[in-house]
Amino acid sequence: MAYEVVRKHLLDVWSNSDGDDSDCGRMQSLLKATAAEDKGFSYRIARDPKGKVVGFVWQNANMRRQLELNGGYLSLDAMKRQIVSCNWPYIAIALLDPDHNLFVGLEGIVAAERNAAYTFVLKAALEMTPKLKPSDIKIIAADGLLSEA
């Protein structure tokens, strides 16, 4: 349901973003509108010490459920794609169920692929998925950056 809600709000948010015409302002408006309509949708916003937005993550109800069921092994990576207009890397937690089906447990965009971004994503995943405990996670596969975090 969350993706239909996002599509529904996308054009409206992009044309009227509460006075903030920046990409970050529009993204915040989109996430807020989606969460207001879909109670299973949640998001978090990362800010640097000066209060500047440096990342967004979001999760719908299906993502949360998959993370609850299959959160023992997390694969976490960021990648740049041309579709991200502000040139921020897309980041996601990928999951594999016992039948080897692939799921996304959380996704987002971050200002840079740094330790703080990986930490933000993992902490947000635990906040937004309260049934998943840190002790449930056995392996996290990620770039070498994570080992320094």
Side-chain angles (χ1 to χ4, degrees), residues 4-22 25-34 36-37:
E4 292 90 22
V5 173
V6 169
R7 270 181 273 171
K8 179 180 167 187
H9 290 293
L10 189 57
L11 290 175
D12 180 53
V13 167
W14 243 247
S15 64
N16 179 11
S17 58
D18 297 331
D20 187 349
D21 288 334
S22 69
R26 289 177 175 163
M27 185 68 176
Q28 289 177 70
S29 295
L30 176 61
L31 293 171
K32 183 178 178 181
T34 304
E37 187 163 329

Side-chain angles (χ1 to χ4, degrees), residues 35-136:
E37 187 163 329
D38 183 349
K39 299 304 176 195
F41 184 87
S42 57
Y43 66 95
R44 297 291 185 274
I45 299 172
R47 296 181 184 277
D48 69 10
K50 295 181 181 179
K52 182 179 175 185
V53 174
V54 294
F56 301 95
V57 292
W58 56 88
Q59 181 184 64
N60 64 30
N62 185 51
M63 292 172 168
R64 183 174 304 104
R65 185 65 180 143
Q66 291 303 326
L67 195 50
E68 291 169 354
L69 294 173
N70 303 299
Y73 175 93
L74 306 180
S75 181
L76 177 63
D77 196 14
M79 63 188 133
K80 286 192 175 185
R81 294 283 187 241
Q82 293 177 346
I83 59 171
V84 181
S85 65
C86 57
N87 210 24
W88 287 13
Y90 167 85
I91 193 162
I93 295 176
L95 311 161
L96 205 58
D97 75 3
D99 295 325
H100 298 276
N101 296 306
L102 184 64
F103 297 95
V104 175
L106 176 143
E107 59 186 346
I109 57 173
V110 292
E113 190 174 3
R114 301 213 167 139
N115 291 345
Y118 282 88
T119 301
F120 161 65
V121 169
L122 290 170
K123 285 182 177 179
L126 290 168
E127 288 176 15
M128 294 190 298
T129 314
K131 290 183 180 178
L132 180 68
K133 306 297 179 216
S135 60
D136 297 333

